[in-house]
Amino acid sequence: MKKIYYGWIVCGLCTMIIFVTMGAVANGFSFFLPYIKEAGGFTSAQTSFLITIRCLSGFIAMMGIGHYYEHFSVRKGLSIAVACVGAAFCIYGLAGNYFIYGLGSAVAGFGYGMGSMVPVSILMTRWFMKHRALAVSICAAGSSLATIILSPATTLMVEHLSLRAAFWVQGALFLLVALAAAVFLRNEPREMGMKPYGHESFHAEIIASGGAKAHAESFTLSPKGWMLMGGVALSMGAFANPSFSHLSILFITEGFEPMTVAAVISAVGASLTVSKILFGESADKLGGRKTSILFIFVLLIGHVMCCFAYLKSIILCVITAVFIGIGFPVSTVGNSVWASDMASPDHYPDVVRRLQVIYSGGALLFASVPGMMADHFGSYIPAYMLFSVLLVFNLILIMWAYKESVTERKKVNG
């Protein structure tokens, strides 16, 4: 029986890590928001500000992520990040006031920042030469798996046990994931006496090209390219994190039952999980440009449909969930694919890190916007109108950025 390449085990572990550091921290925590708001008697703005605290902490963490992973190996750094999320959920379980919730959000944000797609993408570039975008997409699917699993699980635990118990149970499970990462994760194939997946075909291509592939040019984003991609990452972060975090509270405040909303959010997670794999395969075969345009357009349709939540139609709600789930991978996997398309391997880690920092900055700036708009307008629907506008802006920028990248590559090639 053929032995499974260890890189796929690393990929599976990274999927679990993203489940915790991105899925539980962002998507999963959103299911707690209505209960936190009710239990604490908080306003919509106060509830949303917990996300702002998390985003601020995550943004600060990402600003120092380069130094962090110079001090710690990827294995140790990711294990610590996951452990921080586990500790954060235990802190949430102790919360009796707003300050403790804020402390938990700050700790969770650190875990999010240090355990995001940046180190995971770097690991995948070390372990995979072939099917790299697919491997990155599988890892990113961890956050959508969290949506599928944590949506009904959190609702059931809070409804039948307590809010405190739900936090503690999840915190303990996340600490077990941190332990598994510390024991089984490996920084690179050499630690296992292996080579990256697909290196044989890569070397065959080098021989076939007369060695030209081995001496490919070094390139990265031009100043104009950085302005465009900075705009893409900023606007993507501005809508993606706040949008997903407020989906459940959008539907609940529009009159849907909590378990109905949990089922709908699970549908988002299910379509998102499958779509992330499709996004990776599509990027590998069709290229990042066509794939990004297609998925952003689908995501735009989903957000426009969110604006009709006031109709209280379950069928429309489910269709909305499917569109959002199908389109959302571009917001989580996009930075890795764009960095790979617009920068050579020697520049890839720096480009993907910078894009992720800008993305986090966008999330930080807009984290409290849905709550403030809901307090002002009496509904979260205006916020989703704003998110739709941001997506149109994003679609224009990504097309422009790819055109600029092609122009820059032609200059490099002479």
Side-chain angles (χ1 to χ4, degrees), residues 155-352:
T155 303
L156 286 171
M157 281 191 283
V158 174
E159 296 284 350
H160 293 87
L161 297 175
S162 68
L163 179 62
R164 194 180 301 271
F167 277 127
W168 281 345
V169 169
Q170 291 184 29
L173 291 174
F174 300 157
L175 289 173
L176 288 177
V177 174
L179 179 61
V183 173
F184 298 109
L185 203 62
R186 294 294 180 269
N187 295 299
E188 54 186 335
R190 284 186 297 178
E191 293 182 359
M192 300 292 292
M194 296 178 173
K195 293 183 178 180
Y197 185 79
H199 75 282
E200 301 94 343
S201 59
F202 181 78
H203 287 300
E205 289 177 24
I206 291 176
I207 294 171
S209 65
K213 194 176 181 69
H215 302 286
E217 75 278 4
S218 176
F219 62 93
T220 187
L221 290 167
S222 66
K224 182 179 178 181
W226 270 114
M227 289 181 62
L228 293 170
M229 285 310 301
V232 170
L234 187 71
S235 59
M236 191 66 80
F239 95 86
N241 206 308
S243 165
F244 207 105
S245 297
H246 289 86
L247 269 179
S248 59
I249 202 167
L250 163 71
F251 290 122
I252 286 175
T253 53
E254 291 302 325
F256 291 89
E257 292 295 321
M259 283 306 300
T260 300
V261 174
V264 168
I265 300 300
S266 288
V268 175
S271 56
L272 182 52
T273 302
V274 175
S275 186
K276 280 183 178 177
I277 308 301
L278 293 175
F279 185 90
E281 278 290 271
S282 177
D284 280 332
K285 294 179 179 179
L286 299 179
R289 178 182 175 277
K290 291 181 180 179
T291 301
S292 297
I293 292 171
L294 173 62
F295 279 72
I296 291 174
F297 184 73
V298 172
L299 190 56
L300 171 61
I301 294 173
H303 277 75
V304 170
M305 293 174 73
C306 280
C307 300
F308 295 92
Y310 69 91
L311 295 175
K312 298 180 179 62
S313 167
I314 293 178
I315 294 176
L316 182 62
C317 187
V318 172
I319 295 172
T320 301
V322 172
F323 269 89
I324 288 179
I326 291 173
F328 226 88
V330 70
S331 69
T332 52
V333 189
N335 285 334
S336 300
V337 172
W338 300 329
S340 181
D341 284 350
M342 300 183 191
S344 54
D346 55 322
H347 290 286
Y348 174 83
D350 183 56
V351 172
V352 74

Side-chain angles (χ1 to χ4, degrees), residues 80-93:
I80 293 170
V82 177
C84 283
V85 177
F89 273 67
C90 292
I91 292 171
Y92 286 138

Side-chain angles (χ1 to χ4, degrees), residues 85-135:
V85 177
F89 273 67
C90 292
I91 292 171
Y92 286 138
L94 295 171
N97 56 58
Y98 193 82
F99 175 79
I100 302 300
Y101 278 121
L103 177 62
S105 294
V107 176
F110 179 84
Y112 178 94
M114 294 306 185
S116 65
M117 286 300 298
V118 175
V120 167
S121 296
I122 292 171
L123 265 187
M124 293 303 100
T125 61
R126 293 177 181 176
W127 278 93
F128 292 89
M129 285 184 175
K130 186 179 180 182
H131 294 310
R132 184 177 293 169
L134 174 61

